[in-house]
């Protein structure tokens, strides 16, 4: 695998990537990415998932990975 300085990879919890502590009145940061891969997506609750989807920019590709049950 060759390294490419133009490719940036960031990882973290959804809370940390959105810079959101969980308080309802708090705003989340927009998420600028070409591709977002979320592991353990079956563990995301509805309010967090709504904030996450709202933070994505148009054209961002999203891959959700999770358990089938």
């Amino acid at each position: 695998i060759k390294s490419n300085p133009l490719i940036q990879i960031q990882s973290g919890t959804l809370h940390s990537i959105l810079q959101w502590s969980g308080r309802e009145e708090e705003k989340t940061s927009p998420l600028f990415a070409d591709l977002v891969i979320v592991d353990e997506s079956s563990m995301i609750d509805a309010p967090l998932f709504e904030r996450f989807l709202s933070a994505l920019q148009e054209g961002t590709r999203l891959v959700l990975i999770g358990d089938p049950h």
Side-chain angles (χ1 to χ4, degrees), residues 8-65:
Q8 296 180 356
I9 297 175
Q10 179 182 3
S11 65
T13 66
L14 289 181
H15 285 89
S16 67
I17 290 172
L18 296 173
Q19 298 177 358
W20 184 52
S21 69
R23 291 191 303 252
E24 189 61 37
E25 68 279 359
E26 196 174 61
K27 291 188 176 190
T28 55
S29 297
L31 184 56
F32 300 101
D34 294 322
L35 172 66
V36 176
I37 301 171
V38 179
D39 191 16
E40 298 292 342
S41 62
S42 60
M43 302 296 291
I44 304 171
D45 63 18
L48 178 57
F49 195 61
E50 178 183 14
R51 283 187 179 263
F52 169 66
L53 291 177
S54 296
L56 293 176
Q57 304 303 300
E58 186 174 333
T60 300
R61 291 170 288 186
L62 176 61
V63 176
L64 300 174
I65 302 170

